Amino acid sequence: MVEADLLEALNHGLIVRAALDVMDDEPPKASNPLLAIENLLLTPHNAALTSDAKIRMALFAAQGIDEVLSGKTPSWPVNNPPVPRASMEVL
């Protein structure tokens, strides 16, 4: 998202309303013009703070560790290098 483009679209009716939970600057500066328009809803970036989300994050992290240590490709890689890494030897 380009905040300037969103602001322009909201101000000219190309987008009637929008909702964001992430902005370029976190927390947004008080001078950010998006904070002053009425057709934008801003919410805190806190979707990962629920009990269910914390449980899933822990489970998926453990699953990824198991997959990597078992020589499998992780289901949710943070990065996906094009060349496979050398196998890890567990001591």
Side-chain angles (χ1 to χ4, degrees):
M1 172 195 71
V2 177
E3 288 183 6
D5 293 343
L6 177 61
L7 179 64
E8 183 79 11
L10 288 166
N11 282 334
H12 290 92
L14 297 171
I15 297 176
V16 178
R17 289 182 186 83
L20 300 176
D21 73 342
V22 178
M23 298 184 74
D24 288 344
D25 292 320
E26 295 281 343
K29 295 179 178 123
S31 61
N32 188 318
L34 287 173
L35 299 178
I37 59 175
E38 293 186 14
N39 53 344
L40 178 66
L41 173 67
L42 297 172
T43 64
H45 186 71
N46 63 1
L49 299 179
T50 66
S51 296
D52 288 343
K54 289 178 184 180
I55 291 168
R56 283 192 303 274
M57 284 189 292
L59 177 65
F60 293 161
Q63 179 180 341
I65 291 167
D66 180 63
E67 288 169 340
V68 169
L69 293 178
S70 299
K72 300 174 186 170
T73 301
S75 297
W76 301 280
V78 173
N79 58 18
N80 198 7
V83 179
R85 297 185 312 195
S87 62
M88 294 176 32
E89 190 174 311
V90 178
L91 301 175

